[in-house]
């Protein structure tokens, strides 16, 4: 059985004091949660403070991006070593906003994924199609390319540590969401392609759904056999709404 993972991506939100305030509320609310792994991905500037706040709790911390070199003349970039040192155990790679606004490609996603794994970070690799690509009927073609190129060249033990987040771009921040059946169809396809690449790792890989996940749809999504959790944006910014998502089974 794959342990469900609920991940909150705070994007470019929250000062240090705001972030710590939310974390304090979540720590007590999640103290009794054992059946779901919890992950929060704050901004770089809040990582150290948040990581200190979650010590001795069941909340994991991840960064929202990384560079593939460990150090050097790369002004403005953050290395996997620095992220690990700040208290992170995970890192987001290739989020649709990184692809859309900052030129992320499947090639850079692959470099970042491998750098994360080599340095002891669990990569949450984001893939997904745009509205035009879905309307053009090329969803599966786009998804397969992103998987085969973005996750190429891993050892079996590395492949088992990857988390894949399917985020239909047309459903991010729009209030729209794929139906549970639509999401399951793509998740099953993702697992099929990954099995062709890493058959000995595929049963361990968790595939998250990301795209306007909220307390109203999370339970139905989580009933699907290939949906192993959620990558949540806006609904993770406030303690109350994220608590409902993590405790979807209650």
């Amino acid at each position: 059985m794959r342990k469900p993972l609920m991940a909150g991506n705070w994007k470019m939100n929250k000062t240090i004091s705001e972030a710590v305030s939310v974390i304090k509320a979540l720590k007590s609310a999640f103290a009794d949660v054992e059946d779901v792994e919890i992950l929060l991905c704050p901004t770089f500037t809040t990582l150290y403070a948040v990581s200190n706040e979650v010590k001795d709790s069941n909340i994991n911390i991840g960064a929202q991006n990384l560079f593939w070199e460990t150090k050097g003349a790369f002004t403005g970039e953050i290395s996997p070593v620095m992220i690990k040192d700040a208290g992170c155990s995970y890192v987001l790679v290739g989020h649709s906003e990184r692809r859309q606004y900052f030129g992320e490609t499947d090639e850079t996603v692959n470099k970042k994924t491998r750098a994360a794994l080599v340095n002891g970070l669990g990569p949450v690799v984001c893939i997904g199609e745009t509205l035009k690509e879905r309307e053009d009927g090329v969803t599966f073609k786009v998804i397969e390319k992103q998987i085969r190129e973005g996750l190429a060249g891993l050892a079996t033990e590395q492949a088992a540590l990857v988390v894949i987040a399917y985020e239909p771009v047309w459903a991010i921040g729009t209030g729209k969401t794929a139906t549970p059946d639509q999401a399951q169809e793509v998740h099953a396809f993702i697992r099929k392609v990954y099995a062709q690449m890493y058959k000995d790792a595929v049963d361990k890989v968790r595939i998250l759904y990301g795209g306007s996940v909220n307390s109203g749809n999370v339970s139905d999504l989580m009933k699907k056999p290939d949906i192993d959790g959620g990558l949540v944006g806006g609904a993770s910014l406030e303690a109350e709404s994220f608590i409902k998502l993590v405790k979807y089974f209650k």
Side-chain angles (χ1 to χ4, degrees):
M1 289 290 292
R2 296 180 296 271
K3 188 174 186 177
L5 172 62
M6 284 294 171
N9 176 16
W10 284 1
K11 304 189 179 184
M12 197 176 72
N13 293 288
K14 298 194 183 302
T15 61
I16 293 172
S17 61
E18 291 169 344
V20 169
S21 177
V22 173
I23 290 294
K24 286 181 176 178
L26 293 177
K27 276 170 59 178
S28 57
F30 292 154
D32 63 340
V33 175
E34 297 178 350
D35 298 333
V36 177
E37 186 175 357
I38 304 159
L39 171 63
L40 286 171
C41 298
T43 60
F44 283 125
T45 55
T46 64
L47 281 180
Y48 186 69
V50 167
S51 295
N52 282 333
E53 190 63 40
V54 301
K55 285 180 178 176
D56 302 318
S57 79
N58 57 354
I59 300 174
N60 296 292
I61 299 300
Q64 296 178 15
N65 186 31
L66 80 164
F67 192 60
W68 54 80
E69 297 289 348
T70 56
K71 62 181 179 179
F74 304 103
T75 301
E77 294 296 332
I78 309 291
S79 81
V81 173
M82 295 170 184
I83 291 169
K84 188 78 184 271
D85 189 50
C88 293
S89 52
Y90 287 92
V91 60
L92 301 182
V93 180
H95 189 279
S96 62
E97 290 156 4
R98 299 296 313 174
R99 295 176 188 259
Q100 180 179 356
Y101 301 124
F102 304 106
E104 291 275 351
T105 65
D106 294 328
E107 181 183 5
T108 60
V109 166
N110 185 253
K111 288 182 178 181
K112 292 182 177 187
T113 297
R114 294 202 280 178
L117 289 163
V118 167
N119 289 281
L121 292 168
V124 180
V125 181
C126 304
I127 60 176
E129 82 281 14
T130 64
L131 179 60
K132 184 177 187 306
E133 288 166 341
R134 174 163 279 271
E135 290 177 340
D136 288 346
V138 295
T139 291
F140 294 130
K141 181 179 180 180
V142 169
I143 294 295
E144 182 166 5
K145 178 179 182 293
Q146 290 174 337
I147 296 170
R148 291 195 181 277
E149 296 184 8
L151 293 171
L154 305 181
T156 299
E157 59 271 20
Q158 292 178 320
L161 297 174
V162 171
V163 176
I164 300 173
Y166 167 59
E167 40 167 30
V169 180
W170 49 272
I172 298 174
T174 63
K176 298 178 180 180
T177 183
T179 66
D181 287 340
Q182 285 176 320
Q184 166 58 25
E185 181 183 29
V186 179
H187 278 235
F189 177 77
I190 292 168
R191 204 174 296 282
K192 176 183 174 182
V193 173
Y194 206 69
Q196 293 170 357
M197 298 170 67
Y198 306 110
K199 63 182 178 62
D200 293 330
V202 69
D203 289 337
K204 297 178 182 178
V205 167
R206 290 176 290 184
I207 306 175
L208 314 183
Y209 173 76
S212 298
V213 181
N214 56 57
S215 59
N217 60 29
V218 64
S219 181
D220 287 337
L221 287 165
M222 291 301 296
K223 290 175 184 175
K224 297 300 182 181
D226 288 297
I227 298 179
D228 303 311
L231 178 58
V232 185
S236 71
L237 290 173
E238 303 300 328
E240 184 178 355
S241 55
F242 192 54
I243 290 167
K244 290 179 180 177
L245 286 172
V246 171
K247 296 189 173 184
Y248 69 90
F249 52 88
K250 293 189 176 181

